[in-house]
Amino acid sequence: MVRTAGTSMAAGPTLAVVAREAGVSVPTASKVVNGREDVAPETRRRVTEALDRLGYVRRPRFDATKPPRLVDLVVHSLESSRSGAVLHGVEEAAHDAGLDVVVSAALSRTRAGRPQRGWLDKMTVRGSAGVLFHLAELTESQFAFLEQHRIPFVMIDPVIEPPSGVVSVGAANWQGGVTATEHLLALGHERVAVIAGPRRKLCSSARVAGYRSALASAGLPPRAEYVRGGGFDEATAHRRMRELLALPEPPTAVFACSDRMALGVYQAVKEQGLRIPYDVSVVGFDDLPESRWAAPALTTVRQPLAEMAATALRLLVRMMDGEHPEGTRTELSTRLVERSSTAPPPSPGH
């Protein structure tokens, strides 16, 4: 079992203290902790916020006489094709391992901006044997809870750098950024821009670093005005592409750090009366189904999401059996998928 960084929490507050803090009875607080439905929404909110403030933890109900065969998958959202690919990979690997999987979405947050405890409370009631996290940000108290109760867990494509010792599975994002940029350079483009996600996100910073490295290897100094950032969404990428096209010397090629962002780039290019790839070449990252449906079909860097998820599940099973993984970070390779959105740059005077 790999333990997270930091010290274990001291004995936390009792349920009576939580009930007093929330202004409810102990039985009512107990209903919230145990996931009962017969609690008014406002009462549940007060108790949940008190649990967060006080750092109350509940010991999982593990049955020592029967090996648990249930694991949790906590995802940021269930509404994206990325999550669909992750679910597919976990489902297949879990079937092979004879495990059942419970999926939770960790989108809701408290008024203080912290993830709510819902999935954590329900997981402890179920007595899950381990947890997979996909693109979910955990608080220090949540890491400490998992450590205190010796619940093995693996992070799939972590958003930020996890604590030392935490096992994670991701993609070779830096190499993917290199590959995308080298493809555009090989076509003859010299004015290559990048539209990145948030700087704090590991995958985004690694992809931009790969972009810069490829330019440096080609002897092309990076141009500050060609590096634009924001969020991993179409609307932000659309705005950033409009900014790039308004430059005195706009880029002839763009590396968008996700397929969704590439679709925002497509929209901005079309609005300016330009054509992909004849006026502007575009490369994405992920190889989601949307990349094949785009017009023209999107050249992109394939991120093996389903394989990443399956690898994470297999690592988790080993940890549940008491094994120690040889390393804490596993990276799966990426590869370029060439389609119709890239071509040599337009000739001078075009």
Side-chain angles (χ1 to χ4, degrees):
M1 163 63 193
V2 174
R3 297 170 64 83
T4 62
T7 57
S8 295
M9 294 187 297
T14 65
L15 194 58
V17 173
V18 172
R20 186 167 61 250
E21 174 77 8
V24 301
S25 67
V26 173
T28 297
S30 177
K31 287 181 180 180
V32 175
V33 169
N34 288 287
R36 293 271 296 274
E37 299 296 331
D38 52 338
V39 180
E42 175 62 20
T43 301
R44 184 182 301 279
R45 181 190 65 76
R46 295 205 314 271
V47 174
T48 300
E49 291 182 354
L51 291 168
D52 285 328
R53 285 196 301 273
L54 298 174
Y56 178 86
V57 294
R58 186 183 188 283
R59 185 170 297 280
R61 293 179 177 175
F62 293 142
D63 182 357
T65 66
K66 184 179 180 181
R69 304 306 297 168
L70 184 69
V71 297
D72 272 56
L73 169 63
V74 181
V75 299
H76 173 68
S77 169
L78 293 171
E79 298 179 354
S80 69
S81 4
R82 285 179 57 87
S83 293
V86 168
L87 286 170
H88 177 70
V90 169
E91 179 185 28
E92 286 200 345
H95 179 268
D96 293 341
L99 294 170
D100 290 326
V101 180
V102 175
V103 182
S104 301
L107 271 178
S108 56
R109 292 184 174 265
T110 65
R111 288 184 176 179
R114 296 186 298 270
Q116 289 188 355
R117 297 169 50 94
W119 64 266
L120 185 59
D121 291 330
K122 292 175 182 178
M123 180 195 74
T124 57
V125 171
R126 287 190 292 268
S128 296
V131 194
L132 296 172
F133 296 102
H134 175 235
L135 289 179
E137 296 184 55
L138 303 187
T139 63
E140 290 184 7
S141 63
Q142 289 168 338
F143 276 122
F145 177 88
L146 294 165
E147 177 188 67
Q148 180 183 15
H149 293 293
R150 299 180 181 276
I151 301 173
F153 66 97
V154 178
M155 305 196 77
I156 305 169
D157 199 12
V159 175
I160 59 177
E161 187 73 39
S164 174
V166 170
V167 176
S168 66
V169 178
N173 289 296
W174 179 86
Q175 185 57 53
V178 170
T179 301
T181 309
E182 286 182 340
H183 169 67
L184 294 170
L185 296 173
L187 289 171
H189 293 275
E190 295 185 354
R191 288 153 39 196
V192 181
V194 63
I195 302 179
R199 289 184 181 180
R200 62 188 294 269
K201 293 197 174 184
L202 283 175
C203 59
S204 178
S205 58
R207 293 168 194 174
V208 173
Y211 157 84
R212 293 182 185 276
S213 178
L215 289 181
S217 296
L220 293 174
R223 298 171 60 160
E225 69 271 25
Y226 282 179
V227 179
R228 305 280 166 153
F232 279 122
D233 61 279
E234 293 178 38
T236 301
H238 174 262
R239 291 194 298 270
R240 299 296 174 258
M241 188 61 194
R242 286 178 62 91
E243 294 168 1
L244 288 168
L245 292 175
L247 291 173
E249 193 173 32
T252 61
V254 176
F255 167 36
C257 285
S258 80
D259 288 350
R260 284 187 61 199
M261 297 168 74
L263 297 180
V265 170
Y266 272 41
Q267 182 182 358
V269 171
K270 182 179 180 180
E271 289 173 353
Q272 295 299 311
L274 302 174
R275 298 174 302 164
I276 297 173
Y278 308 107
D279 300 304
V280 183
S281 287
V282 182
V283 176
F285 200 110
D286 281 330
D287 194 26
L288 299 177
E290 297 93 309
S291 64
R292 298 189 293 275
W293 304 333
L298 178 66
T299 294
T300 187
V301 176
R302 182 178 185 273
Q303 181 174 210
L305 290 166
E307 294 91 332
M308 287 159 56
T311 299
L313 190 282
R314 288 190 286 268
L315 282 170
L316 181 63
V317 170
R318 290 171 51 195
M319 294 165 67
M320 288 160 50
D321 291 338
E323 293 186 33
H324 294 265
E326 295 179 0
T328 58
R329 171 72 176 180
T330 299
E331 283 197 353
L332 275 61
S333 61
T334 56
R335 66 179 178 85
L336 185 74
V337 179
E338 292 188 49
R339 296 195 178 101
S340 306
S341 65
T342 53
S347 57
H350 172 75

